[in-house]
Amino acid sequence: MNIGFIGLGTMGKPMAGHLLRAGHRLIVYNRSAARTADWQGNDSVTVVASPAEAAAQSELLFTMLSDDAAVEQVYFGDNGIMAGCRPAKEAAGLLRLVIDCSTIDPNVSIRTAQALEALGVDKLDAPVTGSKPQAEEGVLTFIVGGKRDVFEKVEPILLLMGKKAVYMGGHGAGSIAKLANNMMVATHLVALSESLALLQKAGLDPVKFLEVVAGGGARSGMAEMKGPKIIQADYEPQFMAALMNKDLGLAARLSDALRVPLPAAAAVKQVFQMACNGGHGEEDMSAVYKCYEQWIGTAD
Amino acid sequence: MNIGFIGLGTMGKPMAGHLLRAGHRLIVYNRSAARTADWQGNDSVTVVASPAEAAAQSELLFTMLSDDAAVEQVYFGDNGIMAGCRPAKEAAGLLRLVIDCSTIDPNVSIRTAQALEALGVDKLDAPVTGSKPQAEEGVLTFIVGGKRDVFEKVEPILLLMGKKAVYMGGHGAGSIAKLANNMMVATHLVALSESLALLQKAGLDPVKFLEVVAGGGARSGMAEMKGPKIIQADYEPQFMAALMNKDLGLAARLSDALRVPLPAAAAVKQVFQMACNGGHGEEDMSAVYKCYEQWIGTAD
């Protein structure tokens, strides 16, 4: 199949690679061209100069972008996806389906879906859990919103990049569940950071503590994956703190819109904002620990 | 060996049962006598009328109590452990070691250790991770503070009740690490509650969401163990909300004493206090979800 892929960053590039290895032809676009350089000259990959061209040449089009603004631009901007849909429709509808894997405001997911459906193109919101390593290994989990029958038809293609795809409901449902998921990730990271800081200030060994945590009810994916990295001060980004701060902002807007008070998520958002303000936004999200680390050395 | 056990509640009773099944003789005391009724008439169990008697008749003595006040009373009160140590010492020191498995203020752990050591009796603080099911299955993790050589000698006995024992450092180190561990447990429960409430208010399926969480970085012991119970509204206590509220209060005191700001743990403490004030203190700690559940049905 001719599959378009827009957004070849940390996540998008390995995801597109799985589609290519499965024998699909790729039509790729990235805002900064350097990201597509590796694929220049590959017979199965066409590098195009705009989202509109990607939309015009693809039957199925993925987008994996960093935030609402990027999605707005790529979908609705000059030479955006919407502009590319019209020629496709005139040519008997080459483009059938757009799948947005970006983590964005659910309202933007709904708006892009409505705009595409008005042109006869289906749309799914399908953000993923997992970061760089899971994208590379093809073991992401897709969290899907949109029409159920559309999801069921395309599920085998999602499973080329992931181990699982969970259907959550109509347009925007994938985005909402993704924000709820990331609130948990962020809160678990802050919980880990607070406990590690407290016990290190008390003079205890954080490695031994991770052993305690792993054996009981306090265990978490974050403690397993990020605990040892925090202790080794390895903040090489797998998922940047600034992106998590953005997701927590979206979750706060959803909390406000739905009138569900979330005091812990609110505190966690403030700590991520402090981490970003402290210059750690482009480090891994686990750099939120640096907000606490500074207190360990202070006098009692 | 003659092993004393004081505090035969939800945790203590199954723990003592493992020692009995391993062939040890038990000397048991509980403040409310009903808890020892099952063992009346068992040739390997002596039910005594005071902590002092338990201390006087045991070589090794465990305590598993609910809070600081209970520990103060059992150790330092009339007919308390300290009162029972003197006869033991005069009789060539029958009692060699007291192990307190209660989750309490680390300063109380240190004070009991110093008082016992002054009478020639060793002391360990060894709170556990795991609740009722883990106590019954004998798969607790002990978090140990005190002298390392004392810990190493007694470790095989701890492993009759647990799968692991981690040595954290001197007196009080087990208690500190336990509070840090429980801060994580409580924060994970609140994170789960906030996400479940938000997405249910948005009309999404919490069962599907737990599937998403299980597959990615948001996974946690709490999501696995408590998520399905929350969805089924099963709040049968395995570890009571009031006890977690108490532990969060101790953690807050430690945060204050060590001058380590913990904004997320502070928010989580407030939510647990609300759950207790709402009459859910004697339900399972997962009843903290009830603080959020009330918002799901409200109008948008």
Side-chain angles (χ1 to χ4, degrees):
Chain A
M1 197 190 291
N2 291 316
I3 303 182
F5 212 110
I6 296 176
L8 299 157
T10 309
M11 299 296 288
K13 196 165 185 186
M15 289 169 72
H18 291 296
L19 299 175
L20 188 61
R21 278 190 292 282
H24 295 288
R25 281 189 50 77
L26 291 187
I27 300 94
V28 299
Y29 170 76
N30 197 70
R31 282 175 298 169
S32 59
R35 283 287 191 169
T36 55
D38 293 356
W39 285 336
Q40 293 282 6
N42 184 319
D43 287 346
S44 300
V45 182
T46 305
V47 178
V48 295
S50 72
E53 282 180 65
Q57 296 183 37
S58 306
E59 296 158 75
L60 165 62
L61 176 62
F62 284 94
T63 54
M64 182 47 138
L65 301 160
S66 57
D67 56 22
D68 285 358
V71 169
E72 296 276 0
Q73 194 199 329
V74 161
Y75 279 72
F76 297 108
D78 290 345
N79 295 312
I81 291 172
M82 302 310 300
C85 283
R86 260 175 278 270
K89 203 184 175 192
E90 285 155 17
L94 180 64
L95 183 63
R96 302 298 177 98
L97 173 60
V98 177
I99 301 179
D100 184 19
C101 300
S102 317
T103 298
I104 55 168
D105 189 323
N107 292 317
V108 177
S109 298
I110 292 168
R111 199 147 51 77
T112 53
Q114 288 169 340
L116 284 162
E117 284 181 355
L119 297 175
V121 177
D122 280 317
K123 160 82 198 301
L124 296 175
D125 47 299
V128 298
T129 69
S131 59
K132 191 181 173 194
Q134 291 76 29
E136 287 168 351
E137 290 162 35
V139 294
L140 299 166
T141 296
F142 288 86
I143 318 172
V144 184
K147 291 183 194 150
R148 187 189 284 273
D149 62 324
V150 171
F151 160 66
E152 284 170 355
K153 264 185 270 175
V154 83
E155 190 178 7
I157 290 179
L158 297 179
L159 295 180
L160 296 173
M161 301 176 283
K163 62 179 174 183
K164 197 169 194 171
V166 181
Y167 178 75
M168 290 302 302
H171 293 307
S175 295
I176 290 171
K178 175 64 194 284
L179 295 180
N181 181 84
N182 276 18
M183 272 170 45
M184 287 178 69
V185 170
T187 306
H188 293 176
L189 258 183
V190 165
L192 175 66
S193 297
E194 294 197 348
S195 289
L196 283 178
L198 187 68
L199 73 87
Q200 286 183 97
K201 182 73 183 268
L204 307 193
D205 178 355
V207 175
K208 283 282 166 196
F209 180 67
L210 289 184
E211 232 182 277
V212 169
V213 164
R219 70 182 182 277
S220 70
M222 284 302 106
E224 281 164 40
M225 292 190 286
K226 304 297 185 184
K229 284 179 189 279
I230 287 173
I231 292 170
Q232 290 154 30
D234 170 3
Y235 299 109
E236 166 94 24
Q238 293 181 328
F239 184 75
M240 288 194 297
L243 289 176
M244 182 55 93
N245 187 47
K246 173 215 51 154
D247 293 352
L248 291 167
L250 294 173
R253 274 156 63 178
L254 192 59
S255 156
D256 189 44
L258 294 174
R259 301 186 190 179
V260 180
L262 303 176
V268 167
K269 169 74 176 87
Q270 305 311 314
V271 183
F272 268 89
Q273 187 64 60
M274 290 180 208
C276 292
N277 291 1
H280 310 301
E282 296 192 0
E283 297 177 54
D284 189 68
M285 58 179 170
S286 53
V288 72
Y289 176 67
K290 293 184 176 182
C291 294
Y292 298 94
E293 192 176 33
Q294 61 182 311
W295 312 119
I296 298 172
T298 56
D300 285 333
Chain B
M1 196 191 293
N2 291 316
I3 304 183
F5 213 110
I6 296 176
L8 300 157
T10 309
M11 299 295 289
K13 196 166 184 185
M15 289 169 71
H18 292 294
L19 298 175
L20 187 61
R21 278 190 290 283
H24 295 288
R25 280 189 50 77
L26 291 187
I27 300 95
V28 299
Y29 170 76
N30 197 70
R31 282 175 298 168
S32 60
R35 284 288 191 167
T36 55
D38 293 354
W39 286 337
Q40 293 282 6
N42 183 320
D43 287 346
S44 301
V45 182
T46 306
V47 179
V48 296
S50 72
E53 282 180 64
Q57 295 183 39
S58 306
E59 296 159 75
L60 165 63
L61 175 62
F62 284 94
T63 54
M64 182 48 139
L65 302 161
S66 58
D67 56 22
D68 286 359
V71 168
E72 296 275 1
Q73 194 200 328
V74 161
Y75 279 72
F76 298 107
D78 289 346
N79 294 312
I81 291 171
M82 303 311 301
C85 283
R86 260 174 279 267
K89 203 186 177 193
E90 284 155 16
L94 179 65
L95 183 63
R96 302 300 177 98
L97 172 61
V98 176
I99 301 180
D100 184 18
C101 300
S102 318
T103 298
I104 55 167
D105 189 323
N107 292 316
V108 177
S109 297
I110 293 168
R111 199 147 50 78
T112 53
Q114 289 168 341
L116 284 162
E117 285 182 355
L119 297 174
V121 177
D122 281 317
K123 159 83 196 302
L124 296 175
D125 47 299
V128 298
T129 70
S131 60
K132 192 182 173 192
Q134 290 77 29
E136 286 169 351
E137 291 162 36
V139 294
L140 299 166
T141 296
F142 288 87
I143 318 173
V144 185
K147 290 183 194 150
R148 186 189 285 275
D149 62 324
V150 172
F151 161 66
E152 284 169 356
K153 263 184 268 174
V154 84
E155 190 178 9
I157 290 179
L158 298 179
L159 294 180
L160 295 174
M161 301 176 283
K163 62 179 175 182
K164 196 170 195 172
V166 181
Y167 178 75
M168 290 302 303
H171 293 307
S175 294
I176 290 171
K178 174 66 193 286
L179 295 180
N181 181 84
N182 277 18
M183 272 170 44
M184 286 179 68
V185 170
T187 305
H188 294 176
L189 259 182
V190 165
L192 175 66
S193 297
E194 295 198 347
S195 288
L196 283 178
L198 186 67
L199 72 88
Q200 286 183 97
K201 182 73 182 270
L204 307 193
D205 178 354
V207 175
K208 284 282 167 196
F209 179 67
L210 290 184
E211 233 182 275
V212 168
V213 164
R219 70 182 183 278
S220 71
M222 284 302 106
E224 281 165 39
M225 291 190 286
K226 304 296 185 183
K229 283 178 189 282
I230 287 173
I231 291 170
Q232 290 153 33
D234 170 5
Y235 298 110
E236 166 94 23
Q238 293 181 327
F239 184 75
M240 288 194 298
L243 289 177
M244 182 54 93
N245 187 46
K246 172 214 53 154
D247 292 353
L248 290 167
L250 293 174
R253 274 156 64 177
L254 192 58
S255 156
D256 189 44
L258 294 174
R259 302 187 188 179
V260 180
L262 303 177
V268 167
K269 170 73 176 86
Q270 305 310 315
V271 184
F272 268 88
Q273 187 63 61
M274 290 180 208
C276 292
N277 291 0
H280 310 301
E282 296 192 359
E283 298 178 53
D284 189 68
M285 59 179 168
S286 53
V288 72
Y289 177 66
K290 293 184 176 181
C291 294
Y292 297 94
E293 193 176 32
Q294 61 182 312
W295 312 118
I296 298 173
T298 57
D300 285 334

